[in-house]
Amino acid sequence: MSASPASAEPPPASGGGAVPRHVAIIMDGNGRWAKARGLPRVAGHRAGAEAARKVLRAAGEAGVECLTLYAFSSENWRRPEAEINDLMGLLRLYIKNELEALHREGIRIKVIGDHSAFAPDVAKLVDTAVARTAGNSRMTLCVALNYGSRAEIVRAVQRLASEAMVPEAIDEAAIDRALDTADLPPLDLLIRTSGEHRLSNFLLWQAAYAELLFTDTLWPDFDGEALRAALADFAGRERRFGGL
């Protein structure tokens, strides 16, 4: 099932058993999960990577077209250098271990954000994964790397300005086309784990009409069953998009 471009207009009202085309997750709680078990933070990140694998599988089985994961924000550079190095090591390991399996399963890997800021070998691995899976169409795994939504919107405006568009021609559809997510379906459901209730500079524009779901479950404990529960919750909601 291939993803179709986003639209500035909200999608038709849905619910009553509908499966969201595009689900995004703020994967929060790895550190607290590890601390509760007396483990180093990197152990929480490793468990979080396994949770991502389970959730991706469940999303594909449910018919979700695109799963977007907030893997590394532009604010994460403020973390200790040792933790950043651990995260980069996990990213290397995940790509090397999972790339061919994802390719065989028809999953396209897309990256939003500016991963060129990573170490050259990591950036190259990411580029290789994107190129290797570019022709796949069963599902899209979108990974936000060095991503911040405000910076994305600034880049979009800069792109439009570089095209010398007259102000009157810049509308919502034009901005949509200039965003990193231009080729993805509209965002239907945004989930945040670990009990926090904020978007943390993630998909601010795209979330305008998304359903939001906040859960106390720490990310390493969020699995296929938890995702299916979230999809069931979504299916029971009535989405009016400002209408009656």
Side-chain angles (χ1 to χ4, degrees), residues 11 28 41 50 62 70 81 86 90 92-93 97 115 117 131 137-138 145 190 195 216 222 240:
D28 196 12
R41 289 179 64 87
E50 180 58 30
Y70 204 5
E81 184 178 356
D86 286 339
L90 281 173
R92 289 186 186 94
L93 188 64
N97 289 350
H115 68 282
S137 59
R138 185 176 73 83
L145 294 173
L190 192 154
D216 291 336
F222 195 93
R240 297 187 180 91

Side-chain angles (χ1 to χ4, degrees), residues 176-191:
D176 258 346
R177 290 192 298 271
L179 291 171
D180 295 355
T181 54
D183 62 338
L184 300 179
L187 181 61
D188 291 315
L189 175 62
L190 192 154
I191 301 168

Side-chain angles (χ1 to χ4, degrees), residues 27-94:
M27 306 179 292
D28 196 12
N30 291 346
R32 276 169 281 174
W33 183 92
K35 183 178 180 180
R37 290 160 175 77
L39 300 172
R41 289 179 64 87
V42 67
H45 295 312
R46 290 193 186 107
E50 180 58 30
R53 184 181 294 108
K54 294 175 181 177
V55 168
L56 175 62
R57 182 180 303 112
E61 292 171 350
V64 173
E65 293 181 34
C66 177
L67 177 67
T68 297
L69 300 178
Y70 204 5
F72 191 91
S73 77
S74 51
E75 289 77 25
N76 284 157
W77 293 110
R78 301 171 186 168
R79 295 190 177 187
E81 184 178 356
E83 182 172 353
I84 292 173
N85 290 337
D86 286 339
L87 288 168
M88 293 300 106
L90 281 173
L91 180 57
R92 289 186 186 94
L93 188 64
Y94 186 87

Side-chain angles (χ1 to χ4, degrees), residues 70-144:
Y70 204 5
F72 191 91
S73 77
S74 51
E75 289 77 25
N76 284 157
W77 293 110
R78 301 171 186 168
R79 295 190 177 187
E81 184 178 356
E83 182 172 353
I84 292 173
N85 290 337
D86 286 339
L87 288 168
M88 293 300 106
L90 281 173
L91 180 57
R92 289 186 186 94
L93 188 64
Y94 186 87
I95 293 174
K96 291 177 180 178
N97 289 350
E98 301 295 327
L99 177 56
E100 287 309 311
L102 293 173
H103 181 55
R104 287 193 301 271
E105 293 169 12
I107 296 174
R108 176 177 74 116
I109 298 174
K110 177 182 173 65
V111 173
I112 58 175
D114 181 18
H115 68 282
S116 66
F118 291 166
D121 69 307
V122 177
K124 185 176 180 180
L125 275 173
V126 172
D127 290 337
T128 298
V130 170
R132 176 67 169 149
T133 61
N136 296 338
S137 59
R138 185 176 73 83
M139 183 184 179
T140 296
L141 171 61
C142 178
V143 186

